[in-house]
Amino acid sequence: TMIAVRGGPGEIDRRGVGELRAGVYAKDLNSGLLISPCEMSAEADVELAKEGPYIRVLNAHEFAAELIAREVGVSWRHSQLPQIDQRFYDAVLS
């Protein structure tokens, strides 16, 4: 698998997907993974659907969810949450 990382502002364009696919072909690999915090453009979606090696795009919300799942750049905070006092309501309602 060839992995490409795209940074910067703006949507992933057709070229982002097409160049990864070309690299996968050139290296005679089976698949490619494009990682980006940005959304894909309509043209990139069309390019992704074309015939060729499998290309996966991990972008925007999927990218953030994957980072959280693997605890990359994540900090945990513990806080108290209010809970219903069942004994209080049992006494009031009886």
Side-chain angles (χ1 to χ4, degrees), residues 36-56:
S36 175
C38 301
E39 296 287 345
M40 289 192 30
S41 69
E43 294 83 14
D45 283 329
V46 171
E47 182 69 30
L48 189 61
K50 287 184 177 178
E51 253 335 280
Y54 174 73
I55 303 292
R56 178 177 181 211

Side-chain angles (χ1 to χ4, degrees), residues 20-90:
L20 176 57
R21 187 182 314 276
V24 170
Y25 272 129
K27 298 286 186 182
D28 197 28
L29 299 171
N30 295 321
S31 61
L33 172 62
L34 176 58
I35 301 171
S36 175
C38 301
E39 296 287 345
M40 289 192 30
S41 69
E43 294 83 14
D45 283 329
V46 171
E47 182 69 30
L48 189 61
K50 287 184 177 178
E51 253 335 280
Y54 174 73
I55 303 292
R56 178 177 181 211
V57 177
L58 187 62
N59 67 323
H61 299 292
E62 291 177 355
F63 177 69
E66 191 69 27
L67 290 175
I68 291 167
R70 300 193 185 279
E71 296 187 0
V72 175
V74 173
S75 63
W76 294 97
R77 297 193 177 146
H78 300 279
S79 61
Q80 290 184 318
L81 298 173
Q83 295 182 355
I84 299 295
D85 183 350
Q86 191 62 47
R87 288 179 294 172
F88 170 81
Y89 287 101
D90 288 343

